Amino acid sequence: MSNKILECNRQFVESILKKYNYDSHELLQMLVEIQKNTDKGYIDRDTIEFISRELNIPEIRIHSIISYYDALSMESEARYVINVCNGTTCGLMGNGRIEKWVEDILGIKKGEATDDGLFSLKETPCFGACDMAPAIRIGDRIYGNITRNKIEEIIEKLSRDELYPEDKRLSTDNGSLKIITSNFDEYDGMNIIDYIGLGGYEAFNNTVKKGIEESIDEISKSGIRGRGGAQYPTGRKLSQSRAVKNERKVIVCNADEGEPGTFKDREILKRDPYKIIEGMLIASYLTDANEGFIYLREEYYWMRDRIGNAIEKSREYGWLGENIKNSGHDFDIRLVSGAGSYVCGEGFALCESLEGKPGIPRSKPPYVKQAGYLQLPTLIINVETLAAITTVMKNGSEIFTEHGTEESPGTKVVCISGKVNTPGVYEVPFGISVMEMINGLAGGVSGGRKIGFVQIGGASGGILPGSKLNIGYDYETFSNLNMGIGSGAVVVADDTDDIVEYVGTVQKFFSHESCGKCTPCREGNKQLKRILERFKESKGTKEDVENYKRIVKTMEIASLCGSGKTEAVPLKNAMEYFEDDFLKRVVTDGF
């Protein structure tokens, strides 16, 4: 590294390394912070060499991390990178038009930059703005409901070095129940005194008074299941975590909300972050853990100050730290950032990422609860699940059991997007019909059209035709359909949307996000991509149909982690319910 470059950057980079005690396990956090706070907007070779020497690690390790995560780069980029979301909802809402508009306005193609280095155009996975689709991201600023006039105005202002006003991320929730989301709009999400005035931290006090066994039993009676997609009974998960004995145990709040069509955790973290911190505190007390992390997806970096404030205020008021409120329990939380990887929502991949490595799943056993982060017993738990724990321990299990069905008690926070009049986040009782959610809460299909199909649970969720939506939104109904509730996403397509094109979007997402570790997922995605491209061009064959089914089945059975296994669900449903749409694109014999 030249002395000139060191003179410019050494002090800044050294301050970041020092902040993290030159610990190579913090490498990902260092790299994210360096890139976010440098004018270059990327990590150059000289910086990589310097970090390598200071941390005494090989350069290839740094390269492997930067090349793995979407948010990190080793290449110079334009000052303003226009990232067009290629998620499922934005695909339905016309993201392809945005790319064409930008190409026309700036005279560049996707992947190119203007000659002056001011603008470039990229395609990026879903960044959680589905209620504003179609959306773009420039830096940490989100712009939604993009029209040609709006993108022209944004580009014009940025050309003059002026910021275009960012769209407010205020998701509609009119008509919702207010149980898990009871504090929404009751305070600003920042003031801890207001949170306490709403009964904040009563749930933790109740937990201490009840004791560990009775508290876990209360959570079990409520019927809460994991809200990140796995649907595992929360009381059982807490009991199993507590049973693993170790002097040092860890809790991780999984705020890596990467499922396309999903933005409920965004709203919970933004509008009621203290409830999540209290939920982590309760879970730590019940499982005898003393260290906590909130793993926040990079696409939500704009929320770091808000969440960091809630952590700091909780510490200041004695709700984090040593001997919390004379309970004899010590617990503290760190806020850490992801760097753009869907697979990091999986438990072991998240642990690898926390350790400053590429987020690649490990083989099981042992399980995360036994040997997760730094091989320590680790409890990974979703944002909404933590909010539900706080709700139950404040109000009692009856707050849940008086809603829902016998097998699916309580409520669920869902996010409805796509071709609906009022996209947003809604809290619904289990058992409500899917059709009622779409028509009653989200205002029905936009333009008065009919529903073509709906994907439920995120990109890995099942797909159902419009004719099969008069069903209960609950665990038992979806289990009978060999589907799951998933992340709570409900993406609605109308009768003009093409299922083959949509499945191509879903598969493209998984091709991009596959970590590549296991053969069924890695090679299966390569083959499925080729097959779907032929279908989209109406050049499919009957053999393609059979190979498609065979590959999907293999991925479902043999993939290493949940990502590869659940990817099979929408692909299988699409062929099950819409096989005729695929067959219409098969080349007829003799042509």
Side-chain angles (χ1 to χ4, degrees), residues 160-322:
R160 299 197 304 265
D161 206 23
E162 299 175 11
L163 287 177
Y164 188 89
E166 185 178 16
D167 291 323
K168 292 183 178 180
R169 303 178 183 89
L170 290 176
S171 189
T172 301
D173 60 5
N174 294 333
S176 285
L177 293 175
K178 295 291 185 181
I179 298 172
I180 295 173
T181 60
S182 60
N183 289 340
F184 278 20
D185 302 326
E186 296 298 322
Y187 79 117
D188 63 4
M190 297 287 284
N191 193 319
I192 191 171
I193 295 175
D194 289 345
Y195 177 71
I196 292 171
L198 292 168
Y201 290 106
E202 286 180 12
F204 176 69
N205 288 333
N206 291 342
T207 301
V208 174
K209 289 176 185 176
K210 283 178 178 288
I212 291 167
E213 296 302 327
E214 188 177 340
S215 294
I216 292 178
D217 184 57
E218 191 74 22
I219 292 168
S220 296
K221 285 193 296 184
S222 74
I224 300 172
R225 300 194 198 184
R227 302 306 176 88
Q231 303 176 182
Y232 195 75
T234 302
R236 188 186 306 168
K237 185 171 186 174
L238 293 170
S239 293
Q240 291 173 344
S241 178
R242 180 168 182 79
V244 181
K245 304 299 181 183
N246 201 64
E247 288 186 7
R248 188 180 173 195
K249 296 174 71 175
V250 177
I251 286 183
V252 181
C253 167
N254 184 352
D256 191 46
E257 186 176 50
E259 282 284 357
T262 311
F263 46 97
K264 64 179 177 66
D265 291 350
R266 180 197 80 191
E267 291 300 297
I268 296 171
L269 285 164
K270 180 179 69 175
R271 296 160 84 169
D272 200 7
Y274 289 104
K275 182 172 279 189
I276 306 310
I277 292 170
E278 186 172 6
M280 292 183 72
L281 175 58
I282 292 167
S284 72
Y285 182 81
L286 296 178
T287 60
D288 199 26
N290 300 115
E291 299 176 44
F293 294 92
I294 296 177
Y295 184 95
L296 183 70
R297 70 181 304 206
E298 185 276 334
E299 292 85 348
Y300 292 168
Y301 200 87
W302 54 272
M303 278 200 285
R304 277 188 65 90
D305 288 347
R306 173 176 287 268
I307 299 169
N309 167 78
I311 293 171
E312 186 57 40
K313 289 298 180 183
S314 296
R315 195 178 290 129
E316 181 183 329
Y317 279 76
W319 294 106
L320 292 175
E322 297 181 356

Side-chain angles (χ1 to χ4, degrees), residues 129-168:
C130 316
D131 49 341
M132 301 189 293
I136 63 171
R137 182 186 184 204
I138 302 176
D140 287 328
R141 300 175 75 85
I142 306 294
Y143 303 101
N145 302 307
I146 295 295
T147 62
R148 169 134 191 165
N149 285 341
K150 187 170 183 177
I151 193 67
E152 285 178 342
E153 290 173 6
I154 291 170
I155 290 172
E156 183 181 352
K157 276 192 171 292
L158 293 177
S159 297
R160 299 197 304 265
D161 206 23
E162 299 175 11
L163 287 177
Y164 188 89
E166 185 178 16
D167 291 323
K168 292 183 178 180

Side-chain angles (χ1 to χ4, degrees), residues 539-589:
K539 295 179 181 178
T541 66
K542 291 181 179 179
E543 185 180 11
D544 282 334
V545 174
E546 295 308 311
N547 283 337
Y548 175 104
K549 294 177 180 178
R550 180 174 54 82
I551 293 168
V552 167
K553 185 175 182 179
T554 301
M555 291 175 65
E556 183 178 30
I557 296 170
S559 292
L560 175 64
C561 78
S563 177
K565 293 178 185 295
T566 56
E567 176 188 346
V569 175
L571 302 180
K572 184 170 64 174
N573 289 158
M575 187 61 76
E576 176 184 356
Y577 293 114
F578 300 95
E579 186 167 354
D580 285 348
D581 291 83
F582 287 85
L583 292 175
K584 288 175 185 176
R585 295 168 183 249
V586 168
V587 177
T588 306
D589 291 341

